[in-house]
Amino acid sequence: MTDTLNPDRIAFSLNPRAKNIAVHIVEETGSTSTDLLKQADTLFSPTLLLARRQTAGRGRSGKSWHADSGASLTFSLAWPFLRPTEELSGLPLATGVALALALRKLGVPVALKWPNDILKDGKKLAGILVERVSRQNRLEKNGNWVIIGIGINLQLPDTLAEKIGQPASGAPLLFRMDKNRLVAALLNQLADAFALFEEAGLSAFIPIWNDMHAYQGKPVRLFQEGRPGQSGTVVGIDSHGRLLLEENGNITAFSAGELSLRPNPEKAHHAFTD
Ligand code: BTN
């Protein structure tokens, strides 16, 4: 079957910027990100680890990432960055732009949700988990190595929807396409975005990020561990990837940390009726 994931077939479709990615595919693992974090000390070039079945996927804020074999695409990339460590807070957002651009080019109408969710039809299609590696045995002269984990719901069978337990969406178009071409398309866009991030930082992504944000200019509320916090209208993001919220004429910046964003329909209603 041409569709069967195969490292050589993926490598064949990679562009010059992505060509040096070492492509590894495993049948099953707990978490591709955990595996790469463990191997990070021994890596010398950008590395992809893709699992056909991931059984203990991790998400942001200590949450689980649920996946079904065949219905989900789960992979992690280990990548070295020379930009100052404090600027890496912008990398999850730059990754979100790359993923969203790649998916849009493939015909899937997606939007971003701060800090780095990918939405389709207003529901989560894909998630991104960015973790910095602390390299114990080597000088950090090669820069910071980062593990970028990506999970995409290609399909949403009832079994997976039940496990996720929150509104989520799938993308049948992606489910049907050749998975080697799909992975190569994602890697090509990610490699281009990482090169731009290395050159110019998150600043180069801000206009497109704001443009792709589902809640740009909309009333929202931030939540921490399910508890409601600050509300306001989304102004955009800054060069650190912080969300800028405006309330009563004041603009405040929020770091992603453990925060998540939800629309604030109450305010939307008031804005409409005022
Ligand atoms: C989130 O939205 O909370 C981030 C989800 C990230 C999931 C991916 S799946 C591949 C990689 N391995 C993991 O354990 N997590 C990431």
Side-chain angles (χ1 to χ4, degrees):
M1 220 166 92
T2 55
D3 180 48
T4 306
L5 277 162
N6 173 300
D8 295 332
R9 288 181 52 82
I10 293 173
F12 179 78
S13 303
L14 293 179
N15 70 23
R17 281 212 183 89
K19 267 282 182 248
N20 65 340
I21 301 175
V23 177
H24 300 282
I25 298 176
V26 292
E27 203 49 46
E28 177 176 323
T29 192
S31 157
T32 52
S33 286
T34 303
D35 291 352
L36 281 186
L37 279 168
K38 285 189 195 144
Q39 294 166 26
D41 266 355
T42 61
L43 300 177
F44 285 91
S45 61
T47 301
L48 169 83
L49 179 62
L50 187 151
R52 290 200 177 89
R53 199 172 317 110
Q54 186 178 254
T55 54
R58 297 183 292 107
R60 280 185 68 231
S61 309
K63 292 193 185 134
S64 299
W65 177 265
H66 300 285
D68 264 7
S69 173
S72 316
L73 187 64
T74 51
F75 63 89
S76 300
L77 270 170
W79 208 275
F81 288 92
L82 291 170
R83 285 204 87 76
T85 306
E86 62 274 15
E87 289 191 25
L88 294 177
S89 59
L91 184 60
L93 289 86
T95 305
V97 168
L99 197 54
L101 277 175
L103 294 173
R104 283 188 182 185
K105 281 185 194 168
L106 293 170
V108 185
V110 291
L112 296 172
K113 184 180 133 199
W114 184 83
N116 51 1
D117 286 349
I118 307 285
L119 304 181
K120 178 174 163 269
D121 304 325
K123 293 178 282 185
K124 188 155 165 175
L125 175 77
I128 298 166
L129 177 69
V130 176
E131 297 168 296
R132 196 166 70 82
V133 175
S134 54
R135 303 190 112 193
Q136 290 163 355
N137 302 326
R138 276 208 228 165
L139 288 175
E140 299 226 343
K141 64 175 184 214
N142 296 330
N144 283 302
W145 278 73
V146 177
I147 311 298
I148 300 122
I150 295 178
I152 306 177
N153 309 320
L154 304 178
Q155 246 198 342
L156 206 58
D158 289 347
T159 45
L160 180 56
E162 274 163 31
K163 276 193 264 177
I164 295 174
Q166 286 173 356
S169 70
L173 195 75
L174 301 179
F175 179 72
R176 285 194 304 268
M177 78 177 277
D178 180 323
K179 300 300 173 299
N180 296 300
R181 287 193 42 226
L182 168 60
V183 173
L186 300 177
L187 293 181
N188 286 336
Q189 196 77 50
L190 288 164
D192 284 351
F194 295 162
L196 180 60
F197 185 84
E198 190 72 312
E199 201 182 300
L202 183 64
S203 302
F205 295 84
I206 293 177
I208 185 161
W209 196 95
N210 288 337
D211 193 53
M212 289 178 136
H213 192 207
Y215 299 105
Q216 179 69 7
K218 303 227 167 95
V220 299
R221 187 177 285 284
L222 297 179
F223 284 76
Q224 182 153 18
E225 289 165 11
R227 288 192 308 275
Q230 179 81 30
S231 65
T233 301
V234 176
V235 174
I237 53 162
D238 69 11
S239 61
H240 302 283
R242 293 179 302 189
L243 183 75
L244 303 172
L245 280 191
E246 186 273 328
E247 198 175 44
N248 302 324
N250 299 316
I251 296 180
T252 315
F254 294 90
S255 303
E258 309 286 290
L259 293 179
S260 64
L261 170 154
R262 292 187 208 162
N264 193 357
E266 218 178 285
K267 273 279 156 62
H269 178 68
H270 287 151
F272 184 69
T273 52
D274 279 352

